[in-house]
Amino acid sequence: MSYTTRLDISLSNKGTEARQKLFVQVLDEGLHVLAIDEQKQPVLYQLIDFDKDNLDQGTGLQTWLQEQAEWLKSWSSLVVIHHCQQATVVPELLFGNDNGKELLDSLYGDLFRGTMLTEKIPGRDDYSLYRIQTGTYLSLSAANGSVKQYHLFTAWLAWLEGIPESSNGDAYLLFENKKLAVAIRNNGWKMISQFEYQVPEDVSYFLLSALLHAGLSAETVAVHLDGWIEKDSAMYLELFKYIRNLETVTLPDSVQLDESLLNGQPVHFFTPLIEMSQCVS
């Protein structure tokens, strides 16, 4: 089997798939799948892990798409969130359709062969610029009669834009399986970035350096933790050494969810895709 369904949680039995929307967050290692109803309330959540021996070939995603083909077409629309690493955010003044490849090549080299995608971030004069495997793009485009594809930066920043800024600045950290997305705000956004890490010290070093560069103090900045980080983990304890105002994200006020349905998992494991489902469509 090229993939395993680690979580499959029914959150509501109201409505029908034909009137509901499916969100799929695509990572190299697997998928997060969320369905929402017409009121943007969660209906189901799935966590799919790909076979580690076949990650480079993309076999897990292709097999999942083939086996779930009829199910995927049953939803009113499909929204794909690409959590790929070859991506950046570009101010509108610096962005042009003819310089996207050069910008990505300068960051990641020119060996990647695939499809480059761009989209304007809602509510901002910035663009997400990224590239993915062409086969992945085409397969996902054909998975439903109505498909939209975004990068994580686009959907995540669209959500963060609606959150009031703290008086001492904010750092938002989104954890996903040895990957970290970071957004730092101090009278406007100072950084939006992502990287892969090996040990907790990699994250604390990066964060403290980024806060210093943004003119923020580890003693007073509000650091918001989202995604797959546990409060009793080595990662949390490492951050707690330096950050005094550390908090895990809660559900959006607009979302009603019985947390007892989450199989004992903390709600912030599920919030990233739920948040993004509230602001892109």
Side-chain angles (χ1 to χ4, degrees), residues 33 46 53 58-59 70 86-87 93-94 99 107-108 137 144-145 157 159-160 163 188-189 216-217 253 273:
V33 181
Q46 295 180 351
D53 294 333
T59 306
E70 291 304 314
Q86 293 208 9
L93 290 176
L94 300 179
N99 67 348
L107 292 171
Y108 304 105
Y137 172 73
N144 184 281
L157 270 178
W159 169 256
L160 295 180
I163 301 175
W189 295 105
L216 294 171
S217 167
D253 292 339
L273 196 51

Side-chain angles (χ1 to χ4, degrees), residues 1 12 20 22 31 37 49 52 56 61 67-68 82 93 113 121 129 131 139 146 154 158 181 198 215 228 268 271:
M1 190 72 171
S12 172
Q20 297 170 346
L22 193 69
L31 306 169
D37 64 18
D49 291 335
K52 294 180 180 179
D56 292 340
L61 176 60
E67 294 185 356
Q68 304 298 326
H82 291 286
L93 290 176
R113 296 293 179 267
I121 298 173
L129 175 64
R131 51 194 178 194
S139 295
S146 174
T154 302
Q198 298 300 320
W228 291 80
H268 66 270
T271 47

Side-chain angles (χ1 to χ4, degrees), residues 35 52 85 87 89 97-98 100 110-111 125 127 153-154 176 182-183 196 200 206 215 256 273 280:
K52 294 180 180 179
Q85 294 300 292
V89 173
N97 290 326
D98 57 347
D110 61 358
L111 297 180
D125 294 326
Y127 284 81
F153 286 160
T154 302
E176 290 285 1
V182 181
E196 297 180 341
F206 178 90
Q256 304 298 316
L273 196 51
V280 295

Side-chain angles (χ1 to χ4, degrees), residues 125-179:
D125 294 326
D126 297 309
Y127 284 81
S128 290
L129 175 64
Y130 58 105
R131 51 194 178 194
I132 60 174
Q133 296 289 343
T134 298
T136 295
Y137 172 73
L138 294 175
S139 295
L140 288 165
S141 297
N144 184 281
S146 174
V147 179
K148 293 185 178 179
Q149 303 191 47
Y150 303 100
H151 190 266
L152 174 83
F153 286 160
T154 302
W156 192 41
L157 270 178
W159 169 256
L160 295 180
E161 273 289 305
I163 301 175
E165 183 174 349
S166 302
S167 58
N168 294 310
D170 300 276
Y172 294 90
L173 278 60
L174 195 162
F175 290 87
E176 290 285 1
N177 194 22
K178 296 292 186 179
K179 293 182 174 65

Side-chain angles (χ1 to χ4, degrees), residues 233-261:
S233 66
M235 177 65 72
Y236 189 93
L237 295 175
E238 171 68 14
L239 293 173
F240 192 69
K241 291 180 187 177
Y242 307 102
I243 305 297
R244 294 294 167 262
N245 189 5
L246 198 62
E247 64 178 33
T248 53
V249 169
T250 59
L251 282 171
D253 292 339
S254 59
V255 173
Q256 304 298 316
L257 178 63
D258 181 356
E259 295 183 23
S260 68
L261 299 174

